């Protein structure tokens, strides 16, 4: 991977410089990364982005060219500071939840503990990778929920917000259960199965539609999916596909599928299915594409559409109905004399008040039902695992509470880097996909449904809640 050290906001560098000037650059600080609101009105988000974050941290280095560029800046960075940057490397700790984990608002998904000099620099890139990939994995999970048994193809490269988004978005969709991508680079880099049909141009460029189908299937006798809507789907495209499929049968081959890319996909798929079945071609699959998303797919299913596979591009890869996840990276503790001193950011908007302290997060799973009861944010070092009972209460509406016993507390944050060294072996994509499915099985259906899901609570331990309240009253002059 490439060195992206200057993929940061300028204010990170100016704060670094100011710390360097004041002699405070090595103070160790703790930052939490989290988001405040779930995207798409969904009941959960799917964390993705860790692989890229790990690559990024492993390759952080200011090159001579980077330094020369910084030297040109009007702020006039001191030569000794630029010299210092030459030795820059990440020496801190990073904890994160594994990719594929279901995550919820206001819980730390990632925790950085590092000299402030480093912790500032990496904020922008970490949020950039986490926000985009988590957004796309979440969108993909919504699509997967409405078509759990169908084949889902990610077709978005041409419409993605540039190349990185296409490639990493494709990976995020695969984590959430997509079956393949049309993007060859994503296939090469990540081992995602690649698939492709053909474009209208193939048909337009041939002497006739029939000729186009014959020549394509001659070249790919076992992998052809024919696009049937170039001229007239039911009068021309499907009959020609049937004719060619029958000819293929004579040679011992099977047409894999047809693709519908326009018109009324419910009506056309039902009619095409009938025509294929009547011709004895029930094995030929019907793939649909055309600006699809989870709403359209679920609507098409309700209309009885006979579609086996879905090619999904624009709406998925651009998260068109909510193109950004508002994940943030906030200072929560200062390490002083080996103690973590909690720090808070107050806001007139209660949702923006941070949760102070050096914290971790547990998923509280009921041993009897096997289902998650809620997440529990505590200070690192609080003994959560061996407690007999745990009081879960909503941090804002504290009267909403329940006591759980007979539970397992699973710590979600795992050590990824310790003192700058990667200590976590990144999981392979098949393992991440399986893990994601296991994660889903921990949750009641009511939290997973697409429309108006039941809220899943993220609770604070009493200690965290008390410190938060103390700091609010210290700082806020009502
Ligand atoms: N039965 C259906 N119910 C609801 N939406 C549908 C149905 N069939 C298709 N759609 C969707 O309606 C939208 C309308 O498509 P569009 O305006 O592109 O028309 P089109 O017939 O596909 O024309 P074009 O040739 O320009 O692609 C698409 O997002 C498509 O997926
Ligand atoms: O619709 P999406 O979900 O983004 O999926 C990708 C689209 O890309 C291709 O279309 P093309 O680029 O040929 O343009 P079109 O939309 O006019 O068919 C394909 O035929 C799909 O329609
Ligand atoms: O292979 C396809 O059919 C395909 C790939 C990308 C975009 N649209 C269609």
């Amino acid at each position: 991977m490439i060195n992206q050290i200057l993929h940061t906001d300028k204010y990170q560098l100016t704060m670094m410089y100011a710390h360097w000037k004041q002699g405070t650059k090595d103070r160790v600080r703790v930052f939490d990364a989290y988001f405040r609101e779930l995207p798409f009105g969904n009941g959960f988000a799917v964390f993705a982005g860790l692989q890229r974050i790990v690559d990024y941290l492993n390759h952080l280095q200011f090159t001579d060219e980077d330094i020369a560029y910084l030297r040109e800046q009007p702020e006039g960075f001191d030569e000794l500071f630029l010299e210092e940057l030459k030795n820059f490397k990440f020496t801190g700790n990073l904890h994160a939840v594994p990719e594929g984990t279901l995550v919820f608002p206001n819980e730390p998904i990632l925790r950085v503990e590092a000299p402030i000099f480093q912790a500032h620099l990496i904020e922008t890139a970490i949020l950039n990778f986490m926000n985009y990939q988590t957004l796309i994995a979440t969108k993909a999970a919504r699509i997967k929920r409405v078509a759990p048994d169908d084949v889902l193809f990610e077709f978005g490269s041409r419409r993605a917000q540039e190349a990185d988004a296409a490639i990493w978005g494709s990976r995020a969709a695969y984590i959430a259960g997509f079956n393949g991508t049309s993007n060859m680079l994503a296939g090469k880099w990540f081992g995602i199965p690649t698939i492709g049909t053909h474009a209208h141009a193939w048909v337009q460029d041939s002497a006739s539609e029939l000729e186009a189908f014959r020549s394509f299937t001659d070249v790919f006798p076992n992998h052809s999916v024919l696009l049937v809507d170039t001229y007239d789907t039911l009068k021309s495209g499907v009959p020609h596909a049937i004719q060619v499929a029958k000819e293929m049968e004579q040679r011992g081959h099977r047409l894999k599928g047809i693709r519908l890319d326009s018109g009324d996909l419910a009506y056309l798929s039902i009619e095409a299915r009938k025509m294929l079945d009547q011709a004895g071609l029930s094995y030929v699959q019907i793939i649909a594409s055309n600006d699809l998303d989870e709403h359209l797919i679920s609507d098409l299913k309700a209309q009885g559409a006979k579609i086996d596979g879905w090619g999904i591009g624009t709406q998925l890869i651009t998260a068109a109905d909510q193109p950004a996840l508002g994940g943030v990276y906030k200072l929560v503790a200062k390490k002083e004399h080996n103690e973590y001193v909690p720090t808070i950011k107050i806001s007139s908007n209660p949702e923006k008040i941070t949760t102070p302290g050096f914290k971790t997060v547990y998923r509280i799973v009921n041993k009897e039902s096997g289902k998650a009861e809620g997440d529990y944010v505590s200070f690192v070092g609080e003994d959560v695992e061996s407690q007999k009972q745990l009081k879960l209460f909503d941090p804002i509406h504290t009267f909403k509470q329940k006591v759980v016993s007979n539970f397992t507390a699973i710590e979600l944050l795992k050590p990824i880097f310790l003192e700058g060294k990667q200590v976590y072996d990144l999981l392979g994509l098949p393992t991440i996909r399986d893990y994601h499915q296991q994660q889903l099985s921990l949750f009641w259906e009511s939290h997973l449904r697409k429309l108006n899901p039941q809220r899943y609570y993220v609770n604070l331990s009493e200690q965290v809640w008390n410190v938060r309240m103390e700091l609010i009253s210290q700082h806020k002059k009502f």
Side-chain angles (χ1 to χ4, degrees):
M1 290 289 145
I2 48 167
N3 168 23
Q4 291 183 306
I5 204 159
L6 287 184
H7 178 41
T8 190
D9 292 308
K10 187 167 201 173
Y11 78 169
Q12 317 287 13
L13 279 158
T14 51
M15 287 188 287
M16 288 165 72
Y17 186 60
H19 274 297
W20 179 82
K21 276 286 222 197
Q22 314 235 324
T24 53
K25 76 177 181 54
D26 293 324
R27 290 176 172 175
V28 173
R29 298 296 183 245
V30 181
F31 286 80
D32 283 349
Y34 58 96
F35 59 86
R36 300 187 182 107
E37 236 183 89
L38 284 162
F40 321 115
N42 208 42
F44 62 90
V46 181
F47 174 65
L50 185 61
Q51 177 169 322
R52 188 146 199 208
I53 290 169
V54 167
D55 275 347
Y56 162 79
L57 290 177
N58 275 328
H59 291 89
L60 275 186
Q61 207 191 346
F62 284 97
T63 62
D64 290 345
E65 280 171 18
D66 295 332
I67 303 278
Y69 174 68
L70 291 177
R71 192 176 284 119
E72 287 167 15
Q73 297 299 304
E75 284 77 10
F77 294 125
D78 196 306
E79 264 317 305
L80 289 173
F81 169 73
L82 298 177
E83 201 53 40
E84 176 88 41
L85 292 184
K86 286 188 183 160
N87 300 321
F88 184 98
K89 68 189 197 27
F90 181 66
T91 61
N93 301 337
L94 171 75
H95 286 68
V97 305
E99 288 185 296
T101 304
L102 265 56
V103 288
F104 298 90
N106 299 309
E107 63 188 7
I109 301 174
L110 247 115
R111 188 183 73 217
V112 171
E113 178 185 3
I116 188 78
F117 199 62
Q118 302 170 22
H120 274 320
L121 180 95
I122 63 181
E123 166 180 348
T124 312
I126 284 184
L127 287 180
N128 182 208
F129 301 146
M130 165 188 121
N131 279 330
Y132 174 70
Q133 293 189 41
T134 300
L135 188 73
I136 302 306
T138 307
K139 182 75 177 166
R142 281 172 70 71
I143 295 170
K144 175 77 181 168
R145 277 200 71 68
V146 300
D149 304 319
D150 299 344
V151 188
L152 297 172
F153 302 119
E154 186 283 305
F155 274 0
S157 297
R158 60 193 58 202
R159 306 273 153 63
Q161 268 80 348
E162 265 279 4
D164 275 10
I167 293 159
W168 290 93
S170 169
R171 179 177 178 277
Y174 190 61
I175 286 176
F178 267 56
N179 302 84
T181 178
S182 59
N183 187 296
M184 292 302 290
L185 193 51
K188 179 181 163 203
W189 280 3
F190 307 127
I192 302 173
T194 52
I195 68 107
T197 71
H198 67 77
H200 295 112
W202 178 260
V203 178
Q204 290 167 258
D205 205 38
S206 299
S208 69
E209 190 177 56
L210 188 61
E211 203 36 55
F213 289 176
R214 274 199 186 119
S215 54
F216 200 71
T217 52
D218 276 351
V219 180
F220 302 106
N222 300 313
H223 296 102
S224 288
V225 176
L226 299 173
L227 178 58
V228 291
D229 74 331
T230 307
Y231 302 124
D232 186 319
T233 302
L234 296 182
K235 294 210 176 91
S236 162
V238 176
H240 284 149
I242 289 173
Q243 188 177 336
V244 169
K246 297 310 275 181
E247 291 168 10
M248 288 169 77
E249 279 184 347
Q250 314 262 303
R251 297 193 296 275
H253 297 306
R254 282 184 154 202
L255 176 64
K256 203 160 173 205
I258 60 167
R259 175 160 74 98
L260 305 172
D261 188 43
S262 60
D264 182 333
L265 295 174
Y267 170 72
L268 292 174
S269 64
I270 291 167
E271 291 305 309
R273 183 75 274 157
K274 274 192 220 152
M275 291 161 76
L276 288 164
D277 290 351
Q278 274 161 17
L281 296 169
S282 53
Y283 60 84
V284 175
Q285 299 205 322
I286 301 180
I287 312 295
S289 52
N290 193 11
D291 222 14
L292 296 168
D293 66 4
E294 67 274 32
H295 308 296
L296 268 174
I297 293 173
S298 114
D299 205 42
L300 284 165
K301 283 180 165 295
Q303 295 171 53
K306 297 283 184 213
I307 295 169
D308 309 290
W310 309 84
I312 303 154
T314 315
Q315 297 295 320
L316 165 67
I317 209 73
T318 66
D321 48 340
Q322 186 178 329
L325 178 72
V328 294
Y329 178 93
K330 295 290 169 191
L331 180 65
V332 292
K334 308 178 190 186
K335 194 168 183 187
E336 273 160 14
H337 313 296
N338 255 346
E339 299 269 315
Y340 294 95
V341 182
T343 167
I344 197 164
K345 156 81 180 74
I346 305 280
S347 163
S348 52
N349 176 354
E351 301 200 332
K352 289 199 165 185
I353 299 176
T354 60
T355 302
F358 183 48
K359 307 178 299 295
T360 188
V361 59
Y362 293 89
R363 184 142 295 160
I364 307 300
V365 179
N366 185 313
K367 278 191 188 161
E368 225 165 274
S369 64
K371 298 293 182 193
E373 295 269 357
D375 284 0
Y376 189 82
V377 177
S378 73
F379 290 128
V380 173
E382 276 191 64
D383 181 13
V384 176
E385 273 127 325
S386 64
Q387 282 188 38
K388 293 267 172 296
Q389 287 198 324
L390 216 52
K391 187 162 99 184
L392 303 183
F393 62 95
D394 179 40
I396 309 275
H397 309 105
T398 49
F399 61 88
K400 289 188 190 171
Q401 44 177 274
K402 65 177 173 185
V403 175
V404 288
S405 46
N406 196 25
F407 62 86
T408 313
I410 303 165
E411 190 167 6
L412 297 182
L413 289 176
K414 311 283 182 212
I416 312 294
F417 281 80
L418 292 178
E419 295 179 0
K421 271 189 85 86
Q422 185 183 333
V423 293
Y424 179 81
D425 284 335
L426 288 168
L427 306 173
L429 269 184
T431 313
I432 297 174
R433 276 161 63 86
D434 289 349
Y435 167 75
H436 171 62
Q437 293 305 316
Q438 285 163 28
Q439 280 280 299
L440 286 167
S441 67
L442 280 180
F443 290 84
W444 296 107
E445 188 56 33
S446 56
H447 299 302
L448 303 179
R449 67 179 173 236
K450 173 165 84 76
L451 193 63
N452 300 328
Q454 186 74 21
R455 178 170 155 205
Y456 176 82
Y457 281 93
V458 173
N459 308 271
L460 301 183
S461 75
E462 277 181 69
Q463 289 188 40
V464 172
W465 191 84
N466 285 334
V467 168
R468 190 170 191 257
M469 294 315 282
E470 271 163 36
L471 288 181
I472 290 175
S473 55
Q474 250 177 50
H475 289 282
K476 188 80 188 163
K477 304 283 170 271
F478 291 100

